[in-house]
Amino acid sequence: MDRNYDFIAIEKKWREYWDAHKTFRVTEDPSFPEDKRLYVLDMFPYPSGSGLHVGHPEGYTATDIYSRFKKMKGFNVLHPMGFDAFGLPAENYAIQTGTHPSVTTYKNIDTFRAQIKALGFCYDWDREVSTCDVDYYHWTQWIFIKLFNKGLAYESEMPINWCPKCATGLANEEVKDGKCDRCDSIIERKRIRQWVLKITAYAERLLKDLDLLDWSESIKLMQQNWIGRSEGAEVDFTIDGSGELLRIYTTRPDTLFGATYMVLAPEHPLVEKITTPDRMVEVEKYIEKSARKSELQRTELNKEKTGVFTGAYAINPVNGAKIPVWIADYVLWGYGTGAIMAVPAHDERDFEFATRFNLPIIQVVSKDGSLTEVKEAAIEDGVAVNSGQFNGMKTTEFKKTITEWLEKQGKGKLAVNYKLRDWIFSRQRYWGEPIPVVHCDKCGIVALDEKDLPLALPDVKSYKPTGTGESPLALIEDWVNTKCPKCGGKAKRETNTMPQWAGSCWYYIRFTDPKNAKALADPDIIKYWLPVNLYIGGAEHAVLHLLYARFWHKVLFDLGVVNTPEPFMALRNQGMILGENGEKMSKSRGNVVNPDDVIKEHGADTLRIYEMFMGPLAADKPWNTQSIIGLRRFIEKIWRLFDKNIADNVPVPEALNRLRHKTIKFVSDKIDGLEFNTAISQLMILLNALQKEEALNKDLMKDYVKLLHPFAPFVTEEMWEMLGEKPSILNTKWPVYQEEMTKDNVVQMVVQVNGKVRDNIEIEPGTPVEKMKELALQSPKTKSWVDGNEIVKIITVPNKLVNVVIKATVVGPQ
Ligand code: ANZ
Ligand code: ZN
């Protein structure tokens, strides 16, 4: 045969074949037992205007290899793809050009779909969803109503993170180092009306159930820290004179005797009540100043602490000490009780503050019970000092004892706190799901009836955000003005929309039953597929999507909609693909590699294999144009094998057969463990052996092509046909290996000289006796005993032993 590897023609042919024959369709076939059903999920892309980048195919190829392998191993595999299609870029583009965001979005989706199809992933395209489809967000709105009815969605006027450039409020998770995660603008605080989801009601379960998950430890740890559970006590101090209660939260109730002043967050309602008239002007000035600061600015450790004295004093419940009450913005309203007792000897921030304002510092914990000069906050555990009847008690024990004591006195109790805040869920923008509630003068906030869903996004003339905290929807009067579903009276629609995270919170559920018009998915079908067995995507979603989706899933679990407590059982993160010099790929650097170009030049099979061969999936890896060519050659060498005579009756030499079985085992294990680079190396080793043969056994070639198939689906379909077989190779059975054939084929031969063991040599079983003798005599260790002496005879036991009998005149080793 003399054909070149025409990947353009081959890939087009099989793309069309798979489409026409719906090769990748999956159904809820009941004949697959539960343990033979798999759900393998990718993080679906946001269809940006710049198209697919080479990072997308990295994770997508990984799940594709895994899915194809499992299909060939007899699993029913759900492997879907869709689009996370609401979002700001389409809307910003609309502001510049007037083009409706849906026009831009669907155009981008078409491009993405074509690019993804060019890579040959075995997605069931009949299940494609886009979160901006009204048939899809119908059910996003339905879930919102469920959240609302359960009291998990509420309206709140509060100071939130505001991005001046994006002109919208943001969730805490969307703020990185005080900047907008999307556009890097410095975040401001703004008090506006918001929809908030009560994710905090699920804090404990979100934390505990991490134990159920096979996720990378780093992502689990990030979620754990973000949820930020701490255990301590709430303690009630009394304001001297007025008798008002001042409740604080502390993780160190064992330091109560060291409290030398109190601090309230400036927003604390008690401030107004306790501030003495002479301090009022200064206190008010301070409150105004701190209201403009972001949480980050307030809590930064290395910032100089600020604060003012209220003029009031509080009484410490453990010793009756009268200590001054201050306000300072390093204490946050919204965490704990918004008030603290300050223990400068053992808390760094308090130490800084006390030093700056000359407040007393009292040591109450000591390493060994002795008193020392306090030069910095000693935060370590130890034993109590300066603590009355509790002196000498160890920190852990003291915490417990004092909490019990407080409880008995009615002055405190055990308390748990979480750093996790409720999720700011509304955006003051157009291109998102409308929030399905109305505001009625009589009834207040009323959710739409489920039967009135979907509430479609209306057309607007201008997409420009008003900037006043209202979305462009507020300007469409005939949409805004509506009737109250409860009383029929006049009402106004909610004009905020949902954040981009909403649609991706439940898309994996919709994939199970994407066309269902009566429910978000049929309960039996959900049960057939969920939970997701393997989820692959970037690590950047650690405390965003991956936390939000778990929250919604748990709510749906409580509603009986889904039947598992967690959505994604195993999660693996792909590393970043970097530029040639190890730098980040970015438009501004001009080092972005377009997968279309690589496919045009080398074919999709080469791109797939290249990206999997770059290194371990989880590692960050620099792009290297030279190495791509190497992988192209790899495929071409396999292609050239077909120039040889391939027939059923070609015998397979023993060693080659062993390598074949070893390779089947190795590649299977490595795909299971997502170690694709080593699997490919092994396929290269077997290829080398195949190249050395004059003629090739057909069964062996079939096995080879099957092993290669998950990595290079196009060319292997072609080769499968060249072997005289019918498509699709995906519907064939994965090769099986014989365990004993995977073991190295050697036995130990003992070499003796006059009955004494002098060497051990590995030989192939069945090595002829003459060859055994030769090997024994060549061995340097034997030689040193034998040389210079007369060999009397050589005794052999086949496969086991050679004993050289000498008449010794020279006593070795020489
Ligand atoms: C006294 C104390 C002594 C504290 C000591 C620490 C060390 P977690 O939950 O681990 O972050 N705190 C409480 N509420 C606060 C608020 N709203 N804003 C700022 N700080 C607040 O830490 C809880 C500790 O942070 C609490 O324990 C309190 O200071 C402070 F040697 O109370 B501690
Ligand atoms: Zn922004």
Side-chain angles (χ1 to χ4, degrees):
M1 186 177 41
D2 183 28
R3 275 210 296 164
N4 281 325
Y5 168 45
D6 182 357
F7 54 83
I8 292 184
I10 292 170
E11 292 181 2
K12 177 167 184 285
K13 171 180 163 185
W14 291 107
R15 213 163 37 238
E16 286 169 6
Y17 178 93
W18 293 330
D19 256 345
H21 292 81
K22 292 203 185 280
T23 308
F24 307 140
R25 236 186 95 202
V26 288
T27 59
E28 290 72 39
D29 182 342
S31 71
F32 286 92
E34 238 166 85
D35 62 353
K36 288 280 175 192
R37 303 167 189 173
L38 274 184
Y39 190 168
V40 181
L41 184 68
D42 289 299
M43 288 184 183
F44 65 164
Y46 171 72
S48 73
S50 39
L52 215 62
H53 61 77
V54 288
H56 288 114
E58 188 192 10
Y60 297 169
T61 304
T63 53
D64 196 63
I65 292 169
Y66 189 79
S67 298
R68 286 176 183 271
F69 166 68
K70 289 293 181 183
K71 279 178 188 231
M72 292 169 81
K73 291 277 277 184
F75 287 81
N76 196 20
V77 182
L78 177 58
H79 188 40
M81 182 43 79
F83 301 96
D84 188 12
F86 274 129
L88 270 187
E91 184 168 342
N92 289 340
Y93 185 74
I95 292 165
Q96 289 160 26
T97 63
T99 315
H100 195 283
S102 76
V103 173
T104 322
T105 301
Y106 284 107
K107 200 179 121 237
N108 292 347
I109 287 177
D110 287 343
T111 309
F112 262 72
R113 191 191 301 104
Q115 287 184 300
I116 291 174
K117 280 196 173 183
L119 280 148
F121 302 128
C122 64
Y123 297 125
D124 178 356
W125 285 104
D126 287 349
R127 293 178 187 254
E128 177 189 333
V129 299
S130 293
T131 55
C132 66
D133 283 347
V134 69
D135 294 340
Y136 182 92
Y137 69 72
H138 177 159
W139 301 104
T140 314
Q141 291 173 330
W142 182 87
I143 297 172
F144 183 89
I145 290 177
K146 295 289 182 201
L147 287 162
F148 178 76
N149 290 341
K150 279 181 76 116
L152 293 170
Y154 61 95
E155 213 188 17
S156 158
E157 177 125 351
M158 56 180 189
I160 60 145
N161 308 303
W162 176 264
C163 173
K165 186 150 169 233
C166 298
T168 184
L170 298 175
N172 288 343
E173 290 80 3
E174 292 170 302
V175 180
K176 294 258 156 68
D177 302 328
K179 289 180 185 164
C180 172
D181 197 20
R182 183 183 302 282
C183 75
D184 263 358
S185 308
I186 306 255
I187 293 304
E188 299 169 358
R189 300 296 285 174
K190 189 162 175 158
R191 183 177 280 275
I192 45 173
R193 187 179 63 82
Q194 289 289 340
W195 279 93
V196 185
L197 298 191
K198 216 182 209 154
I199 190 170
T200 51
Y202 282 73
E204 189 62 36
R205 282 164 70 189
L206 287 168
L207 182 68
K208 251 223 229 91
D209 287 355
L210 285 172
D211 288 343
L212 307 175
L213 302 176
D214 170 18
W215 289 17
S216 66
E217 283 309 311
S218 67
I219 301 270
K220 282 203 213 180
L221 194 66
M222 280 164 86
Q223 289 213 350
Q224 201 179 313
N225 291 340
W226 189 260
I227 295 166
R229 184 184 197 275
S230 77
E231 227 176 71
E234 281 180 6
V235 186
D236 290 336
F237 286 64
T238 355
I239 299 296
D240 190 37
S242 77
E244 293 271 3
L245 274 191
L246 168 52
R247 176 165 295 178
I248 60 104
Y249 172 68
T250 176
T251 45
R252 295 293 303 270
D254 62 296
T255 61
L256 264 160
F257 287 85
T260 56
Y261 64 101
M262 313 288 289
V263 184
L264 303 186
E267 299 89 343
H268 200 297
L270 212 53
V271 174
E272 207 182 322
K273 292 191 194 148
I274 63 169
T275 303
T276 55
D278 58 314
R279 303 291 308 152
M280 202 50 109
V281 175
E282 214 176 324
V283 165
E284 274 173 358
K285 229 175 28 198
Y286 185 78
I287 293 174
E288 200 185 307
K289 235 193 333 201
S290 61
R292 288 196 297 268
K293 291 197 209 164
S294 75
E295 209 161 279
L296 185 88
Q297 289 168 322
R298 286 173 57 160
T299 50
E300 249 175 334
L301 256 183
N302 46 13
K303 264 254 168 73
E304 195 167 40
K305 301 274 166 297
T306 61
V308 290
F309 177 45
T310 62
Y313 290 84
I315 308 293
N316 189 332
V318 295
N319 59 4
K322 199 172 129 181
I323 57 178
V325 181
W326 287 61
I327 65 170
D329 58 19
Y330 76 93
V331 171
L332 301 174
W333 181 238
Y335 185 69
T337 61
I340 66 161
M341 64 167 183
V343 185
H346 305 289
D347 181 282
E348 285 165 28
R349 293 161 302 179
D350 298 347
F351 182 83
E352 269 179 60
F353 193 88
T355 313
R356 171 143 197 241
F357 294 103
N358 269 318
L359 291 155
I361 299 173
I362 302 174
Q363 182 191 11
V364 290
V365 185
S366 155
K367 252 190 220 137
D368 51 9
S370 67
L371 297 178
T372 44
E373 200 194 331
V374 181
K375 291 199 194 107
E376 56 181 358
I379 57 175
E380 301 83 20
D381 285 6
V383 293
V385 291
N386 287 330
S387 297
Q389 74 266 38
F390 301 102
N391 279 345
M393 209 178 260
K394 287 212 176 87
T395 301
T396 320
E397 192 197 348
F398 190 6
K399 277 185 186 172
K400 222 177 126 222
T401 310
I402 194 79
T403 308
E404 280 163 11
W405 183 90
L406 287 165
E407 213 146 329
K408 250 192 236 127
Q409 306 287 315
K411 286 178 175 166
K413 60 171 195 272
L414 198 80
V416 171
N417 261 295
Y418 301 91
K419 291 253 151 57
L420 186 68
R421 300 275 74 100
D422 277 344
W423 174 13
I424 309 285
F425 191 70
S426 43
R427 299 294 176 272
Q428 293 67 49
R429 301 294 303 240
Y430 170 74
W431 190 229
E433 301 87 347
I435 293 176
V437 304
V438 304
H439 300 262
C440 168
D441 287 342
K442 242 207 270 156
C443 314
I445 298 171
V446 182
L448 297 193
D449 247 334
E450 283 174 24
K451 68 170 168 31
D452 293 330
L453 295 180
L455 171 62
L457 198 54
D459 277 333
V460 292
K461 284 203 190 69
S462 162
Y463 305 96
K464 242 198 175 74
T466 59
T468 60
E470 293 237 56
S471 103
L473 289 176
L475 304 173
I476 318 174
E477 274 180 29
D478 55 347
W479 185 80
V480 171
N481 294 313
T482 183
K483 269 192 212 137
C484 169
K486 212 180 204 168
C487 73
K490 268 196 198 159
K492 281 188 189 304
R493 286 196 195 283
E494 172 61 53
T495 56
N496 281 328
T497 54
M498 299 188 203
Q500 205 193 333
W501 310 105
S504 58
C505 267
W506 72 282
Y507 74 114
Y508 60 95
I509 303 174
R510 188 63 175 173
F511 278 143
T512 66
D513 189 15
K515 308 249 155 58
N516 199 319
K518 295 203 189 72
L520 78 170
D522 181 277
D524 289 332
I525 300 181
I526 291 178
K527 222 178 187 162
Y528 186 98
W529 290 117
L530 286 189
V532 171
N533 299 89
L534 175 65
Y535 195 19
I536 293 185
E540 67 275 16
H541 295 300
V543 292
L544 292 156
H545 161 63
L546 288 170
L547 191 64
Y548 296 151
R550 291 183 63 218
F551 164 45
W552 278 35
H553 190 91
K554 287 188 181 308
V555 175
L556 294 172
F557 178 72
D558 292 346
L559 287 165
V561 176
V562 295
N563 58 314
T564 61
E566 284 287 331
F568 316 122
M569 293 321 289
L571 170 78
R572 295 291 177 272
N573 301 112
Q574 69 202 59
M576 267 215 291
I577 294 192
L578 306 166
E580 299 251 1
N581 302 314
E583 75 288 2
K584 244 182 137 168
M585 274 194 194
S586 70
K587 255 196 219 156
S588 57
R589 285 201 180 87
N591 61 351
V592 177
V593 179
N594 184 341
D596 290 352
D597 297 339
V598 183
I599 292 174
K600 227 179 271 158
E601 204 178 333
H602 302 290
D605 281 332
T606 295
L607 175 58
R608 290 170 59 118
I609 293 193
Y610 168 66
E611 289 208 9
M612 293 302 98
F613 194 64
M614 286 174 84
L617 182 65
D620 293 342
K621 298 155 284 228
W623 190 263
N624 186 315
T625 309
Q626 272 310 307
S627 320
I628 303 176
I629 296 165
L631 278 306
R632 158 99 172 260
R633 299 272 178 270
F634 168 55
I635 297 178
E636 282 171 344
K637 280 179 201 159
I638 303 165
W639 186 257
R640 290 265 78 93
L641 291 177
F642 286 80
D643 295 343
K644 298 180 194 268
N645 172 32
I646 300 174
D648 289 325
N649 56 5
V650 177
V652 183
E654 168 79 8
L656 181 59
N657 204 29
R658 285 189 179 271
L659 182 58
R660 163 207 212 161
H661 284 269
K662 234 187 204 171
T663 303
I664 297 171
K665 180 178 159 78
F666 190 87
V667 171
S668 308
D669 290 351
K670 294 301 158 185
I671 294 179
D672 247 326
L674 309 179
E675 296 171 72
F676 305 116
N677 53 333
T678 53
I680 294 166
S681 300
Q682 182 66 27
L683 288 170
M684 290 172 171
I685 293 172
L686 182 51
L687 167 67
N688 275 338
L690 294 174
Q691 281 181 306
K692 290 188 187 124
E693 298 296 309
E694 295 253 324
L696 291 164
N697 177 279
K698 193 165 187 173
D699 267 339
L700 170 58
M701 278 305 287
K702 281 188 196 167
D703 277 359
Y704 190 84
V705 172
K706 282 181 183 178
L707 292 179
L708 181 68
H709 173 70
F711 301 89
F714 294 102
V715 73
T716 46
E717 285 278 21
E718 186 70 20
M719 290 170 174
W720 191 242
E721 216 177 48
M722 282 150 65
L723 289 167
E725 299 292 329
K726 289 209 168 56
S728 163
I729 186 173
L730 182 59
N731 297 325
T732 65
K733 291 267 160 289
W734 188 252
V736 282
Y737 60 88
Q738 291 157 9
E739 188 66 44
E740 67 277 9
M741 292 291 281
T742 65
K743 304 249 160 65
D744 273 333
N745 190 27
V746 290
V747 290
Q748 296 292 325
M749 172 178 85
V750 177
V751 182
Q752 298 176 336
V753 179
N754 283 355
K756 288 224 166 73
V757 177
R758 298 301 180 195
D759 201 2
N760 268 294
I761 299 175
E762 285 188 345
I763 57 166
E764 247 182 73
T767 305
V769 168
E770 282 314 309
K771 177 86 188 170
M772 282 173 67
K773 285 184 188 170
E774 194 186 317
L775 287 168
L777 292 174
Q778 276 168 5
S779 139
K781 285 188 197 158
T782 324
K783 269 177 114 163
S784 66
W785 288 96
V786 171
D787 281 359
N789 295 308
E790 182 192 335
I791 297 176
V792 180
K793 61 176 170 178
I794 300 176
I795 303 162
T796 57
V797 180
N799 293 331
K800 289 213 173 87
L801 177 102
V802 175
N803 183 10
V804 186
V805 182
I806 54 169
K807 198 177 193 178
T809 47
V810 182
V811 182
Q814 291 106 31

